[in-house]
Amino acid sequence: MKDSQSTMYEHSEVKVRLLNLYIQKYLNILSRAAGIEKVHLYDLFCGEGIYENGGEGSPIIFLKAIKDIYYRNQAGGQKLIQVDCVFNDLETWKTEKVKSIVESKKLHYPFFGDLRFLNVDYAEAVPGIVNQISKSKKSKAFVFIDLYGYKDVRASQIRSILQTKKAEVLLFLPTQFMFRFERKGIPTALQAFIEDLVPKDKWPNSPTGIDFIENLKSAFRNYLGDDFFVDTFIISRDVNQYFCLFFFTSHIYGFDKMLEAKWEIDSEQGRGWTYKNPDAPTLFSPSKADKVNKLEIFFLSYLKEPRSNGEIYQATLHQGFRPTHAVEVLKGLAAQNKIIVTSNDGQKPRKGSYYINYGEYCDRPKRISIQLT
Ligand SMILES: C[S@@+](CC[C@H](N)C(=O)[O-])C[C@H]1O[C@@H](n2cnc3c(N)ncnc32)[C@H](O)[C@@H]1O
């Protein structure tokens, strides 16, 4: 067995940290959402739960978050949502190990929801999962796909899960292997994966690992269309060695929260997490100013036409930025007299208020318009 498969490395810890932050936010939001009574959680490559060095894997992270939210909601008199979990791994010994950890650490009680273990090939499980998500009423689903390689994953599987309009998908891809292969020539397994997204002759060249991830992200965005949001969280271990979490959703607020978790982990770059090696040269180290500049550059073209606060909220998220970043940039542009704000409801907009958040997006998406002067 490869060492990386039995020991949890720092990059995996960052992966589970993001997973942990996100799942907590996700369950918290759903506990407060009217009309949601159940969450279906699928960890399709669940692994063994706890690694030889004590590192906790995804099933443990999920179960702890579920337990936490249950007792917190109970104490706070909040609605209690059921979370039905499916933990799948091709290897029976791994799910057996997870089962025994769950028992010994008392991580689960039936009143949290169902707990099922499966040992099937992920590809075979997908159609049944799509069916279950589609049929289930008053529910949402979260699907975690965390494979060693990439040969089993298909963009069409992800699309079919997203098309239920009730699911969010987190996909961890060991993109450093893909990139290495791409430079040498695309191997058959990768060809099938990429051809699902883009015709082979249209696949752009990727001079660096980051370019490769950007190309893959754009390809996913084009493939899935405007109804879905896609973003990445890059974990770089070494120069040009990248792992990447891809996040997919049809729900704009879910996306907003994912970006919040991502920026929380790396508030400086927001682009991902860099392996802590101060001596290693990195290919990118954009400062926060550089990042926010990127949004400013976007606004300087996007706001040539008047745009409503709702449109700006949506466009900001599509760019991978948080509403707070948009407000920061807009305040900067206003200070330089580069934008004008027009009220659309007859009320004078408050100075410095741009109404760019999910609440306004739902209730008053056309409250104001902003345009370059
Ligand atoms: C990267 S590990 C999962 C790690 C786990 N999510 C965690 O956080 O600890 C990938 C797992 O997928 C399992 N696996 C490999 N091919 C599979 C397939 N086709 N279907 C389901 N599981 C598979 C492996 O046994 C392995 O445990």
Side-chain angles (χ1 to χ4, degrees), residues 32-261:
R32 281 157 184 74
I36 303 293
E37 288 170 8
K38 182 173 285 222
V39 174
H40 294 278
L41 189 150
Y42 302 91
D43 187 352
L44 298 179
F45 299 76
C46 75
E48 59 191 276
I50 295 185
Y51 292 86
E52 279 168 19
N53 66 350
E56 291 180 345
S58 51
I60 308 302
I61 299 296
F62 286 134
L63 289 171
K64 283 188 169 171
I66 292 165
K67 190 174 173 179
D68 246 39
I69 192 92
Y70 184 91
Y71 288 115
R72 214 164 345 122
N73 284 345
Q74 196 179 47
Q78 293 275 351
K79 179 180 67 173
L80 300 172
I81 41 168
Q82 296 272 295
V83 186
D84 286 356
C85 297
V86 174
F87 292 121
N88 177 61
D89 199 287
L90 212 44
E91 307 261 16
T92 314
W93 72 264
K94 293 190 179 178
T95 49
E96 287 301 315
K97 186 171 162 187
V98 175
K99 261 187 223 172
S100 74
I101 297 167
V102 171
E103 268 170 44
S104 66
K105 292 191 179 286
K106 299 195 179 0
L107 292 178
H108 192 265
Y109 295 103
F111 45 86
F112 297 163
D114 291 343
L115 177 60
R116 287 202 298 139
F117 292 91
L118 279 181
N119 300 105
V120 298
D121 180 354
Y122 136 92
E124 284 169 22
V126 171
I129 289 170
V130 169
N131 197 22
Q132 189 175 37
I133 298 174
S134 309
K135 281 193 182 145
S136 177
K137 301 258 180 323
K138 298 184 174 175
S139 68
K140 292 272 186 193
F142 180 80
V143 182
F144 185 46
I145 301 174
D146 181 16
L147 60 176
Y148 287 134
Y150 44 79
K151 64 180 190 308
D152 301 312
V153 73
R154 288 285 172 280
S156 52
Q157 294 160 339
I158 293 170
R159 185 171 58 186
S160 68
I161 297 170
L162 290 172
Q163 279 169 341
T164 62
K165 293 281 180 108
K166 291 200 274 184
E168 293 174 63
V169 177
L170 204 57
L171 166 72
F172 183 73
L173 284 183
T175 35
Q176 88 288 10
F177 300 127
M178 295 178 160
F179 177 61
R180 220 162 51 207
F181 279 128
E182 204 207 15
R183 279 209 300 200
K184 286 187 193 157
I186 304 177
T188 326
L190 184 54
Q191 218 164 54
F193 174 80
I194 284 181
E195 272 177 23
D196 219 12
L197 289 169
V198 199
K200 200 167 73 189
D201 53 328
K202 297 267 161 47
W203 178 251
N205 188 31
S206 313
T208 70
I210 292 290
D211 295 327
F212 179 75
I213 291 169
E214 286 297 321
N215 286 338
L216 208 50
K217 180 162 72 179
S218 306
F220 267 122
R221 282 181 175 161
N222 291 336
Y223 175 80
L224 293 168
D226 279 349
D227 286 349
F228 301 104
F229 291 87
V230 183
D231 202 30
T232 51
F233 184 86
I234 299 166
I235 299 167
S236 75
R237 260 188 85 188
D238 240 322
V239 180
N240 231 351
Q241 255 218 25
Y242 303 103
F243 299 81
C244 191
L245 269 165
F246 279 81
F247 176 73
F248 306 89
T249 184
S250 60
H251 199 276
I252 194 164
Y253 193 52
F255 192 66
D256 192 339
K257 288 287 137 185
M258 183 65 199
L259 291 178
E260 190 177 289

Side-chain angles (χ1 to χ4, degrees), residues 6-39:
S6 55
T7 310
M8 181 175 256
Y9 282 119
E10 202 169 348
H11 69 267
S12 301
E13 283 173 26
V14 174
K15 172 178 74 183
V16 291
R17 221 178 114 208
L18 182 72
L19 192 64
N20 193 16
L21 256 180
Y22 179 71
I23 200 68
Q24 286 183 26
K25 284 183 198 292
Y26 178 76
L27 293 176
N28 210 11
I29 295 163
L30 294 182
S31 308
R32 281 157 184 74
I36 303 293
E37 288 170 8
K38 182 173 285 222
V39 174

